[in-house]
Amino acid sequence: MMKDFLNESIPCLPFRGIIPFEKIVLHVELDGGAAEDAVKAAMASESRYIFITLLNTIDGGNHLADVGIVAEAKQIVKSSGKTRAVLDGKFRARLEAVTSQAPILMTKVKKLPRVSAKCDPLELEAITRSIKDVFVMYAALISTSPHLVSSVLTQSDPFRLFELVSLNIPIPTPDRQILLAENSILEKLTILYAILAGETEMAKLQTNINNRVQESFDKGQREHLLRESLKAIKNELGEGAKPGVSGSYTEAIKALGNIDDESREKLLRDAARLEGIPTQSGDYYQLDIYLETVVGLPWDSYTTDNDSIENASQILDSEHYGLKKVKERILELLSVRSLKPDVKGQIICLSGPPGVGKTSVAKSIAKALGRTYQRVSLGGVRDEADIRGHRKTYIGAMPGRIMNAVKLSGTRNPLILLDEIDKVAHDGRGDPASALLEVLDSEQNHNFRDHYIEVPFDLSDVLFVTTANNVGEIERPLLDRMEVIELNSYTASEKFHIAKNHLVSKQLAENGLKPSLVKFTDDGITAVIDGYTREAGVRTLERNIASLCRKAAKDIVSGKRKKVNLTAKNVVKYLGIPKYDAAETALKPEVGVVNGLAWTAVGGVLMPLEAVVINEGKGDISITGSLGDVMKESAQIAVTFCRTIADRYGIPRDFYKERDIHIHAPEGATPKDGPSAGVTMVTALVSALSGIPVRNDVAMTGEITLHGKVLPIGGLREKLTAAYKAGIKTVFIPKKNQKDIEDVDPEIIEALEIIYAEKLSDILGKALVPKIASKETVKAIYRGQKTEYTIEASQSVSH
């Protein structure tokens, strides 16, 4: 327990900023010398105590005040060239003797009793209310924080009220010493009230004086004073006008190349006008930003194109697998540019499903040419100002996306990718697609005027490349200005090579793995492609490979494995049950079930079609499976055509009156449409009506007419790929699609028997398994040993 007299002398720190109470943490700035030595001596002692008291200057001499604070020296902090001591106040004490003055001041002190709270409760309540009332008036005069006022008004503890008020009003140093020495809380509050009342009266007097002085200024004097004050403040903050700004713009404008004289004169006038505008004006800031933007455009900066076809071919082959036609067209474009560098108007639109590499192809073109690359996303853009910019009179005006991309590129001839151009929208704020007409027209873009820039800029040297998922969504006038290059969905073989040669190494590097630690086997990659992806591109494939890399990294870091071999079995272990099953065909020929082929956004798929005939009916035709209008019309054509060939296949002539027909495409939740299922529907109906099974190892696609002709279809490459993956042996395609077979991978052509059909009879005669066939023939067809059996017209089958 602390005694009245401390057992030993403690260092003393004379302090001019004494606080009127003891329980406070002080941050005392030390001027070095004896003060710092005193704090260090206290920190070295067992108690760490130091005596803080007021140093009075009386009659030319220095005298220590009798009452001070004993504090615990916590630490010495040095920052920004200054030294501060952190002192934690403990109790009041009275100075009894100075025991030493050198090398540091040492004192003997006596602990004072705690401030007494014994007094008349009514008097204490009255003085606290008075202090609160006066403090509210004082706070209103000097604009004190409302939070502080609230704290004072809600304070019920007289000691805490004393501390709050005394710390937030200016109290002369002698009065602080008096308050510290006083032993009664009532007396402390009484003295504080007197000081607060005096400060309040002083604040009132100062306010009145300021009001009278303010009224003496006329309007002009007041504006001049405010302007000069604002200028001084901005200069102090480093935000003032830079000397010679207008002159620097003038020199920069005169040095611009490839700009017409009229535009140069216009910019020079703007630079001269800038000098006459007050720097505090909003117009100054607006014009300054405008000139900075215009001068910063690459008016005469070019990059030299790399005309090497070998270099371009090497870059395209190293960064992209397959895409033979795309690469060939790009090399053609580069060849023409090599022969005629000033060629204009070559605008490419890379069209294809998501994830097939449209954006990365554009990057490769820029890399092959040696041009800077900038991407402008147009998805969801619906304001014309996004293309042409905002007029600079508007607040927050800025250039359009095209000019901003040119500025960011730093050259007049960058490659600018206009991404997702098919997703440009329009509303009441204008039509961005119409604004793009000028940008992409070589006859107009040499004089392109952005609303913000206001002066013409030549965009004819810019190589524009656009991307789209569906060119049908692009405005026709805009589409006419572009050459469309189709990027088809990848086959499973292409995905395998892309994953093996590009994606695996990329994800291993991004996940901090070495090829020696994690190995993807061929069957592991194939398992990922077949069981966990169903897409046209490779984005989901890359995400699954990344997931496998992360899981492998976890096993390696946790010590479960030293190396990870990602086989098909381990892929299932890490990624879980496969999300997709391989397309399955019927195990044997069935009546009314035909394998159709469809082309979707994620590639080709095998689409079985089913037809059932109900003998006792009313001639109703039911069509289910989320089929679109075009497929429903194909079903009507199929029924009509079946009526024309009913006798040939032993089908009752009145089947359309007395029997109900139900046609269904499985996976009913998936919308389906298009005319290419016509031959599939006819084959299914003929089979269901005649009872003749359809071979389970064949698939077909083609549009039909009422006279039984087979018309060409789209997506042949994708459809044949789907048939190949499903294990189909024979595929019927329209004769007019024979020219498109060169786009199909050679391995698929070799694996499939492709039959070109001009008429439906070419398909029915080889797809149906006749009942009059021998048992040996049926068995051979079932085992896949015989793939063709022609039904002659004379071989009718009774139903």
Side-chain angles (χ1 to χ4, degrees), residues 306-317 323-339 346 348 361 364-365 368-369 485:
N306 187 341
D307 297 330
S308 172
I309 300 301
E310 293 78 9
N311 175 68
S313 179
Q314 182 180 359
I315 290 174
L316 291 171
D317 287 338
L323 304 179
K324 181 180 177 182
K325 277 194 170 183
V326 177
K327 293 176 181 177
E328 184 179 349
R329 178 62 188 92
I330 292 170
L331 293 178
E332 291 172 359
L333 180 147
L334 299 182
S335 300
V336 172
R337 284 186 171 273
S338 177
L339 296 174
Q346 292 182 315
I348 297 173
V361 166
S364 298
I365 297 173
L369 284 171
I485 299 179

Side-chain angles (χ1 to χ4, degrees), residues 12-68:
C12 178
L13 178 63
F15 184 46
R16 296 188 182 277
I18 195 69
I19 303 298
F21 54 89
E22 65 274 18
K23 294 292 185 179
I24 190 170
V25 177
L26 298 174
H27 294 262
V28 180
E29 186 172 333
L30 306 178
D31 55 3
E36 187 172 346
D37 291 341
V39 176
K40 289 181 178 179
M43 292 179 66
S45 67
E46 181 178 357
S47 66
R48 302 176 71 95
Y49 282 154
I50 186 169
F51 182 56
I52 308 170
T53 189
L54 179 64
L55 182 64
N56 290 320
T57 303
I58 303 174
D59 299 331
N62 294 328
H63 301 276
L64 297 175
D66 292 338
V67 178

Side-chain angles (χ1 to χ4, degrees), residues 375-383 386-387 401 417-425 432 436 467 469:
R375 173 180 171 271
V376 177
S377 177
L378 298 179
V381 170
R382 58 179 63 249
D383 190 349
D386 281 330
I387 306 300
R401 299 192 183 197
L417 175 67
L418 302 179
D419 206 9
E420 310 289 358
I421 196 170
D422 57 327
K423 296 176 179 59
V424 172
L436 284 170
T467 69
N469 297 130

Side-chain angles (χ1 to χ4, degrees), residues 217-233:
F217 285 104
D218 59 17
K219 182 178 180 180
Q221 290 174 317
R222 189 158 52 249
E223 288 182 357
H224 176 74
L225 177 62
L226 292 173
R227 187 174 294 112
E228 291 300 317
S229 298
L230 183 59
K231 182 177 180 181
I233 292 170

Side-chain angles (χ1 to χ4, degrees), residues 459-470:
L459 295 177
S460 61
D461 294 319
V462 177
L463 177 58
F464 288 103
V465 177
T466 67
T467 69
N469 297 130
N470 182 6

Side-chain angles (χ1 to χ4, degrees), residues 352-358 360 469 487-488 490 498 535-540:
V356 295
K358 299 184 292 297
S360 59
N469 297 130
L487 277 76
N488 296 316
Y490 291 121
I498 291 171
E535 57 177 343
V538 292
R539 286 179 181 164
T540 304

